[in-house]
Amino acid sequence: MPILRMLLLYSILVLVSAITPHSASASGDEAPRYAILIGNGDYPEPLDLPNPINDVRAMADVLLELGFQVNAMENGTLSEIRQHVDRSLQDIPDGALVVFFYAGHAVQKNGVNWLLPTDFSIPTDGQIDSVAVGIDEIIGALDEKKDIKKVIILDACRNYPLGEADEALGNGLSGIFSSGETLIAYATLAGELASDGNGPNSPYTGALVSALDIKGLALYDVFRTVRYKVRSATNGLQLPWVSGALESNIVLNADVALEETPEVTILASLAPIEAVHWRSIYRSRNPLDFREFVVTHENSPARSLAQEREEALRRLQTTQAEPIFLPEETPPGAPFVVTACDKWVSDPLDPKRIAPGVPWGLVNTRNAIRDCSIALARDPENPRLMFLLARALDIAEQFDDARLFYTQAAELGYGPASRNLGFTYRNARGVAPNDALAAQYYFAASVDGVVDARKALAKLYEQGWGVEQSYPEMMRWLELSAEENYPNSLDHLGNLYRTGLHVEQDYSVALDYYERAAAVDYGNGLANVARMYRDGLGVAKDRERAAGLYQRAIDVGNAFAPYHLARMLLRPEGNEVADPERARALLELAAERGHGWSLWQLARSYLSNDFGEPDIENGVFYLWVAAEAGRAMRRPGGVKLMEEATELLKTMEPRLSQDVRDSVELRAQQWLKQNSLLDFSLIAPY
């Protein structure tokens, strides 16, 4: 089969499998399930970490529901961790599926990764194995089991916590090699750092728990979903990745149809808040969840059922995860309570929030839906809690329930709920698209002062979506949101004045808007100021300053800046010196961050002599990925990228040997397993 047809066919099959729920029988996994979990956060100050304990509890909770025998440890010393792993291994039979999860501090030394116990101290003899636990040691012990499948999850890429103790100690973690069926998932790229986050969970674990709660996802799809969510929510600063290979098509959360039972009949009669709460706990192995339901919904038709479930679990004395406890707080003199719901799912762009915001992709929807259901049942007329529950349901793609609670909050005048309903109808989230209705909701949110709703409304006027096209109205709402220094609007206005689109071209005005966006470290603003200095638009041309600004944009996670800086390094001017190696690394970084045209540039550079001698195999691989990225892109330029890459592939195909075709096929298959084409189609959630 010609390589282009083969690759496109393979990609279609993978994409179909990624969006098609798998049945339980299709999971390819009937092996007994075991999990070894460790969360270390109680290090001496200032090294303590707020989230690993919540992370390990959240993982224990979800894995118990997925049929794992879970052995979890919190805040382990060196001897306690080794004993915990040894005891856990004794229970694991041959042929099992094993998940090992670690959250906490970790380092690498000479390419070997070490988990730091809570009693870690700098080794006086330089021998880190006397003060830390090696990942290789744990994997080696697992490998002694026959026919075992291993999933190693490391949410541990923090910086070295105790200063420059040893030059061989490096930040982040290094790649791990393991034989057999092993998948190793990292919170971020090798050598890079992951965030502990502002929410109750780390960014990585919050996204992972929510992805594991989605029915029917194969294991690789779970980690692709996590990668997409974390990358988008951290603006490209944190890039999860996986290595290794699992041949089995494992589905941990099989989509099994519910039979008609008395339980189903009872649940059909529940009030919406009761039904949402029940669905968030019905698989729980913790009797406390059902006790909470009984206490919260005293008159519910499911109260007796919840009591029966609680009593059955207590009789069985089942393994259960320690609960995550987020205490309610009443600020002194405040007329409101900061609930656990607020802490799980507050929206960073909600002007009425009363807790730190948690970005869309990082919300632990399992815990958020449960705790928001409880909070709203106790305070049923509170529009903020209605909105927060709706947001958690929306993120979990339970669209009907989300729309119900959004609507209730919007009717009570809660602007962020109207904003999210506008997005719902504009982007057909569980409904038919309706731009006119979207505009109505965006109007309501804009009048209520929701800044990103004003930006969205400006876009509707610009395009004539649901409203009569009007550039003056577009400018009204852009300028109103820019007055509040909303960086997306500042950057948009800069683009309009730079290009002369809909307004009189004025480079000085464009630069002013870009610089205001850059002042708050908005990546696109920084990259666009760099463009102005690179090209001498409204300012004296200064490529050195442009390069520095591009680097600042790279440092805050921007996807465009590494592409443009790489092109400067490949095509130097004046006394500048070409740097093809750095250019290649920058293009790879831009591609990791979802910039499709960087794939095209990598392909062209490999096929030419930009990186030295032409490399047809790498060039063809990047052409193929570029074509698929273009196909997935929703923003302008995607079709052009796909067409140009496909055309060049056609001209290259006759020049490829069978060995090269086989090599590209194998590499393409692995790439599709480990990456998400959604990376090249990011849109801001709201």
Side-chain angles (χ1 to χ4, degrees):
M1 179 183 294
I3 191 167
L4 181 59
R5 286 181 57 202
M6 176 274 295
L7 291 174
L8 292 179
L9 175 60
Y10 182 82
S11 67
I12 291 169
L13 292 174
V14 170
L15 285 172
V16 169
S17 72
I19 62 175
T20 302
H22 298 260
S23 67
S25 61
S27 71
D29 171 40
E30 298 176 357
R33 299 177 174 187
Y34 290 79
I36 306 172
L37 313 181
I38 301 171
N40 281 346
D42 191 18
Y43 297 94
E45 292 186 1
L47 311 177
D48 56 317
L49 296 169
N51 289 332
I53 302 308
N54 284 344
D55 293 341
V56 77
R57 292 181 180 185
M59 285 296 296
D61 204 15
V62 69
L63 291 175
L64 281 167
E65 292 185 9
L66 296 177
F68 281 80
Q69 179 173 313
V70 173
N71 292 312
M73 162 171 279
E74 298 177 4
N75 293 321
T77 64
L78 178 64
S79 62
E80 289 170 343
I81 290 175
R82 287 194 164 130
Q83 291 171 14
H84 172 65
V85 172
D86 288 343
R87 284 195 302 267
S88 299
L89 287 171
Q90 291 174 8
D91 296 333
I92 297 173
D94 293 340
L97 168 65
V98 180
V99 169
F100 177 85
F101 172 85
Y102 176 81
H105 280 303
V107 298
Q108 58 167 299
K109 179 179 173 68
N110 297 330
V112 177
N113 297 307
W114 298 88
L115 312 182
L116 304 191
T118 55
D119 60 349
F120 174 77
S121 60
I122 298 173
T124 57
D125 58 1
Q127 301 301 310
I128 196 171
D129 59 348
S130 65
V131 294
V133 180
I135 285 291
D136 291 357
E137 171 186 340
I138 293 171
I139 293 177
L142 286 169
D143 282 339
E144 293 179 6
K145 305 288 183 178
K146 294 180 181 178
D147 302 321
I148 200 168
K149 303 180 185 71
K150 306 182 292 293
V151 180
I152 312 296
I153 304 172
L154 302 174
D155 191 359
C157 304
R158 276 79 173 185
N159 60 314
Y160 179 63
L162 296 177
E164 299 299 327
D166 188 327
E167 64 181 9
L169 287 170
N171 279 333
L173 298 182
S174 62
I176 299 170
F177 172 78
S178 178
S179 60
E181 288 209 57
T182 305
L183 184 68
I184 303 172
Y186 306 82
T188 195
L189 292 174
E192 299 295 330
L193 302 182
S195 169
D196 204 47
N198 295 320
N201 289 124
S202 77
Y204 184 78
T205 298
L208 177 57
V209 169
S210 294
L212 287 169
D213 208 38
I214 300 172
K215 291 181 174 61
L217 284 186
L219 198 55
Y220 276 108
D221 297 326
V222 167
F223 288 109
R224 279 194 288 264
T225 299
V226 171
R227 173 185 168 86
Y228 170 71
K229 288 188 172 185
V230 172
R231 194 182 73 75
S232 59
T234 62
N235 296 316
L237 284 176
Q238 186 169 331
L239 301 169
W241 68 298
V242 298
S243 66
L246 282 174
E247 299 303 323
S248 305
N249 184 33
I250 296 172
V251 178
L252 295 181
N253 192 352
D255 188 12
V256 180
L258 293 176
E259 298 178 359
E260 188 66 27
T261 64
E263 177 178 335
V264 173
T265 303
I266 291 173
L267 295 179
S269 66
L270 297 184
I273 189 65
E274 296 170 8
V276 167
H277 189 180
W278 183 267
R279 284 195 293 271
S280 73
I281 66 169
Y282 78 97
R283 293 187 306 176
S284 174
R285 301 282 298 277
N286 193 330
L288 293 177
D289 281 331
F290 297 98
R291 167 52 38 190
E292 192 74 60
F293 185 93
V294 169
V295 171
T296 303
H297 309 285
E298 294 183 354
N299 299 315
S300 172
R303 192 169 188 271
S304 297
L305 185 61
Q307 290 174 320
E308 292 172 8
R309 192 69 59 85
E310 177 194 359
E311 292 167 3
L313 287 170
R314 292 191 187 280
R315 285 196 303 270
L316 290 172
Q317 296 182 332
T318 57
T319 301
Q320 54 188 263
E322 290 290 328
I324 299 174
F325 179 63
L326 303 180
E328 290 190 344
E329 302 172 25
T330 303
F336 56 79
V337 175
V338 182
T339 68
C341 175
D342 290 289
K343 296 176 181 181
W344 283 119
V345 72
S346 283
D347 184 345
L349 290 175
D350 179 357
K352 300 180 179 182
R353 64 183 169 87
I354 58 174
V358 183
W360 184 263
L362 307 185
V363 172
N364 174 340
T365 54
R366 299 179 74 259
N367 292 77
I369 292 171
R370 181 197 64 195
D371 285 353
C372 288
S373 298
I374 294 169
L376 184 58
R378 293 173 177 170
D379 188 3
E381 301 302 318
N382 188 320
R384 186 187 80 256
L385 295 176
M386 293 173 188
F387 167 72
L388 293 176
L389 175 58
R391 183 172 187 249
L393 290 163
D394 195 0
I395 297 168
E397 299 191 359
Q398 299 178 32
F399 297 129
D400 290 344
D401 287 330
R403 193 166 62 255
L404 171 66
F405 291 105
Y406 277 147
T407 302
Q408 291 179 5
E411 289 174 349
L412 292 173
Y414 201 80
S418 295
R419 181 267 318 268
N420 286 17
L421 282 169
F423 187 85
T424 292
Y425 284 99
R426 172 75 191 101
N427 293 277
R429 291 179 67 81
V431 294
N434 188 328
D435 286 341
L437 192 53
Q440 291 179 30
Y441 283 118
Y442 280 139
F443 269 120
S446 296
V447 170
D448 201 41
V450 182
V451 64
D452 53 328
R454 294 177 172 181
K455 170 63 169 64
L457 187 57
K459 187 69 175 179
L460 296 188
Y461 276 116
E462 182 178 22
Q463 301 297 327
W465 293 333
V467 292
E468 183 178 348
Q469 189 176 52
S470 171
Y471 300 135
E473 285 301 308
M474 172 197 73
M475 292 298 292
R476 177 205 300 274
W477 295 105
L478 279 177
E479 289 169 349
L480 282 171
S481 55
E483 285 178 7
E484 299 179 60
N485 282 324
Y486 183 51
N488 195 300
S489 292
L490 292 168
D491 189 64
H492 192 155
L493 284 163
N495 290 337
L496 294 178
Y497 281 103
R498 176 178 57 82
T499 60
L501 183 65
H502 314 319
V503 296
E504 184 177 349
Q505 189 176 52
D506 189 324
Y507 290 143
S508 63
V509 174
L511 181 61
D512 179 65
Y513 278 120
Y514 287 147
E515 287 180 332
R516 286 172 60 190
V520 292
D521 280 338
Y522 184 60
N524 283 1
L526 285 163
N528 277 318
V529 174
R531 179 208 295 259
M532 304 296 275
Y533 279 98
R534 183 196 66 189
D535 298 339
L537 303 177
V539 68
K541 186 173 182 178
D542 187 339
R543 283 172 60 91
E544 182 177 357
R545 184 169 184 179
L549 286 162
Y550 277 134
Q551 186 59 55
R552 279 183 58 194
I554 291 168
D555 292 342
V556 298
N558 187 258
F560 304 100
Y563 167 77
H564 290 293
L565 182 54
R567 288 172 62 87
M568 289 178 66
L569 295 171
L570 289 174
R571 303 289 182 267
E573 295 182 4
N575 295 325
E576 297 170 359
V577 178
D579 190 342
E581 284 304 310
R582 187 180 176 209
R584 175 165 54 188
L586 287 168
L587 289 170
E588 290 171 350
L589 175 62
E592 288 280 358
R593 291 178 175 180
H595 186 260
W597 284 98
S598 293
L599 298 166
W600 169 255
Q601 183 62 58
L602 279 165
R604 294 299 301 268
S605 292
Y606 273 115
L607 293 173
S608 65
N609 60 355
D610 283 349
F611 301 149
E613 292 297 319
D615 184 336
I616 292 179
E617 184 172 334
N618 266 321
V620 169
F621 169 75
Y622 278 110
L623 278 178
W624 173 79
V625 178
E628 291 304 302
R631 191 185 309 276
M633 284 167 60
R634 300 177 197 172
R635 53 182 179 259
V639 173
K640 182 180 179 182
L641 174 60
M642 177 190 68
E643 291 175 347
E644 292 197 12
T646 302
E647 284 302 310
L648 188 51
L649 268 175
K650 290 178 181 177
T651 67
M652 294 300 301
E653 188 173 277
R655 301 169 54 187
L656 304 179
S657 68
Q658 188 60 50
D659 287 345
V660 170
R661 296 184 188 197
D662 292 343
S663 176
V664 172
E665 176 184 1
L666 182 63
R667 188 175 172 188
Q669 292 173 353
Q670 191 67 16
W671 186 91
L672 276 171
K673 282 184 177 181
Q674 297 179 354
N675 293 275
S676 170
L677 289 173
L678 291 174
D679 284 351
F680 302 98
S681 188
L682 287 179
I683 53 175
Y686 293 109

